[in-house]
Amino acid sequence: MKLLFSAVIIGLWISQGHVMKSWERFGLSLIKSDQLQRLAIYGEIPLCMKRGLVDQQIDLDVLLDAIDLPASRRPPIYVYTGRGPSSLRLHWGHPIPFQLANWLSGLTGGPLHVQLSNDEKFYASDTQSLLDIERFTVENERDIRAICNTDRLFMSRNTQNIADLYTTAMPMAKALPIGTLREVFGLDDSAPIGRFLQPLWQMAPCFADPDPRALCVVACAVDQYPYFRVARAVAERVGKRKPIVIAASQFIPALDNPGSKMSASSPKSCIFFGDTPEVVHSKLSRAVSGGGRTIEEHRERGGDTSRDVAMQLLRAFLEDEAEWTGLVEGYKRGIILTAQVKKRAIGVVNELLAGIEKRRNESIKASCE
Ligand code: TYM
């Protein structure tokens, strides 16, 4: 099986902040306007898609055709996403795929499976103990529940639920040559066995429904696409349909690098769930801006929204369309200053954080009653 990409190369590109203009050569295509129009028939498009953060797909038409069918002829449809707990709390990049998944689950009426691949970072890192992982898993699960506030949600933990996936993974483990995993995930002979196993567990939920007609819709960002590219390549051989993938190619950036990806592996450049309003204020005040070096220069040349972290956060999370358009225009023309944009971003993030903490505390309380 020849695969024209490698997770290592994709990861490197993303971490170095290269903007990929097209994911076409990896098999993904831009979400087209007629597809957006078809989606809009079923309800309001989520912000992450409307603003173009989620802009890649493969087989979205297959999903659209399936939901157009009368209920009696529809195949089972379910949504799948996940998180590899690597920090106590989620950071501000994580809500994007979970919001998307939550919305897709509402759109299709199908269950939403969130896999906590909590073995993943244990195999990939020398610093995380099993004890850390258990703590991270519990807290991350609570954060995800606060975003995906639906009774269609089903969460699994690899450390507890792998037995449920074992028979699904077996045909894949037989069909996939080890060389494919080596090539795609950049593993050599010295890589721990766990790193060869982990892709199997991440792919297996794509085939978990025993009905061979079932459609799995994966919501993620493009850094996770290699797993699903392999799953698609092996689908026919395990007698299942190829997973549909809808993905964000635009990442929420690290606070110190507007072209990159916010990542828990660099905690200083993240805003975390649970950060206090003061911490958010101090972190965002220091974030990289696309404004001029002086007010005069800014007024003369205007700001660069694509190089501005606060603007990127507003693009993803400021709901009010008219306000967003006004901010972009005003910033580009140098009428709105960096400090104003940061202040607005701090307000939006803090308001969303307060809502998440509230829902999180309510669900902790409910689970204790
Ligand atoms: P993880 O924990 O690294 O990330 C969880 C999800 O968040 C996306 N993501 C981001 N999106 C936008 N901006 C960012 N800065 C940003 N950082 C991360 C990731 O693409 C991912 O969708 N191996 C996975 C866990 C996993 C999974 C899955 C993901 C298990 N099963 C099924 C998607 C689908 C991981 O470590 O994700």
Side-chain angles (χ1 to χ4, degrees):
M1 184 189 317
K2 189 78 195 147
L3 293 154
L4 297 167
F5 67 91
S6 137
V8 183
I9 296 173
I10 292 180
L12 255 175
W13 265 327
I14 293 167
S15 66
Q16 289 171 356
H18 292 294
V19 177
M20 283 284 289
K21 292 265 181 295
S22 162
W23 288 86
E24 199 90 31
R25 58 186 275 230
F26 300 106
L28 287 167
S29 303
L30 276 176
I31 298 177
K32 293 185 281 296
S33 60
D34 65 298
Q35 291 173 321
L36 282 175
Q37 275 163 19
R38 280 182 79 184
L39 281 169
I41 297 170
Y42 294 97
E44 202 179 333
I45 305 283
L47 203 59
C48 55
M49 208 179 246
K50 205 157 62 181
R51 299 256 168 90
L53 286 98
V54 171
D55 63 345
Q56 302 292 322
Q57 57 84 29
I58 185 153
D59 279 352
L60 175 54
D61 285 333
V62 174
L63 173 66
L64 288 162
D65 292 346
I67 51 185
D68 276 348
L69 289 172
S72 58
R73 288 179 44 218
R74 258 197 200 185
I77 304 175
Y78 63 101
V79 182
Y80 168 44
T81 190
R83 156 82 179 136
S86 57
S87 54
L88 195 58
R89 304 292 302 269
L90 298 193
H91 65 57
W92 270 91
H94 293 136
I96 303 295
F98 292 113
Q99 285 172 350
L100 172 69
N102 204 29
W103 177 77
L104 283 166
S105 159
L107 175 92
T108 57
L112 165 53
H113 177 189
V114 176
Q115 177 181 67
L116 291 158
S117 54
N118 56 358
D119 50 348
E120 178 179 352
K121 303 284 152 73
F122 178 72
Y123 294 132
S125 126
D126 289 332
T127 51
Q128 278 187 24
S129 68
L130 279 173
L131 208 65
D132 290 333
I133 281 163
E134 286 309 321
R135 280 172 46 238
F136 294 172
T137 305
V138 171
E139 298 303 331
N140 282 203
E141 187 171 322
R142 289 173 170 163
D143 286 343
I144 294 165
R145 276 191 202 288
I147 308 173
C148 305
N149 205 2
T150 163
D151 51 14
R152 288 184 298 272
L153 176 64
F154 157 69
M155 293 187 95
S156 65
R157 299 180 185 177
N158 284 11
T159 49
Q160 286 174 359
N161 304 95
I162 280 306
D164 302 336
L165 284 178
Y166 195 75
T167 48
T168 304
M170 281 172 70
M172 252 196 312
K174 195 167 175 179
L176 270 177
I178 202 111
T180 300
L181 299 187
R182 266 207 190 104
E183 191 185 329
V184 173
F185 298 100
L187 304 170
D188 60 25
D189 283 351
S190 67
I193 291 172
R195 294 199 59 192
F196 285 93
L197 291 172
Q198 187 271 327
L200 283 183
W201 308 137
Q202 178 150 341
M203 291 186 277
C206 299
F207 307 122
D209 193 309
D211 187 334
R213 295 173 316 135
L215 279 176
C216 171
V217 190
V218 177
C220 60
V222 285
D223 60 326
Q224 300 299 312
Y225 182 60
Y227 293 95
F228 305 111
R229 177 70 180 80
V230 177
R232 287 176 59 83
V234 83
E236 210 174 305
R237 273 179 285 159
V238 301
K240 296 290 172 76
R241 292 179 81 175
K242 293 181 179 187
I244 294 161
V245 181
I246 305 181
S249 79
Q250 315 282 307
F251 290 92
I252 298 295
L255 296 175
D256 55 1
N257 184 353
S260 70
K261 166 178 175 272
M262 188 175 279
S263 167
S265 58
S266 168
K268 281 196 188 127
S269 63
C270 290
I271 301 177
F272 287 104
F273 286 21
D275 279 351
T276 62
E278 295 73 28
V279 169
V280 171
H281 185 284
S282 127
K283 284 183 174 175
L284 266 176
S285 301
R286 281 183 278 121
V288 170
S289 114
R293 272 170 304 169
T294 60
I295 291 187
E296 292 69 34
E297 186 186 300
H298 186 78
R299 295 253 187 249
E300 199 182 302
R301 294 200 200 153
D304 180 350
T305 54
S306 67
R307 304 288 311 157
D308 193 293
V309 172
M311 271 305 218
Q312 293 309 309
L313 283 166
L314 287 166
R315 176 188 180 198
F317 300 111
L318 175 64
E319 293 274 350
D320 188 321
E321 196 60 33
E323 187 186 355
W324 165 243
T325 319
L327 277 171
V328 173
E329 276 309 298
Y331 197 59
K332 279 186 180 161
R333 290 168 55 198
I335 300 165
I336 294 175
L337 301 177
T338 299
Q340 290 169 290
V341 166
K342 286 192 170 174
K343 189 170 170 215
R344 191 64 187 109
I346 291 165
V348 168
V349 169
N350 277 336
E351 197 184 317
L352 288 170
L353 275 179
I356 283 167
E357 287 306 292
K358 185 166 173 281
R359 287 195 296 281
R360 188 181 138 99
N361 290 334
E362 281 165 3
S363 86
I364 295 174
K365 211 170 135 210
S367 66
C368 295
E369 278 166 2

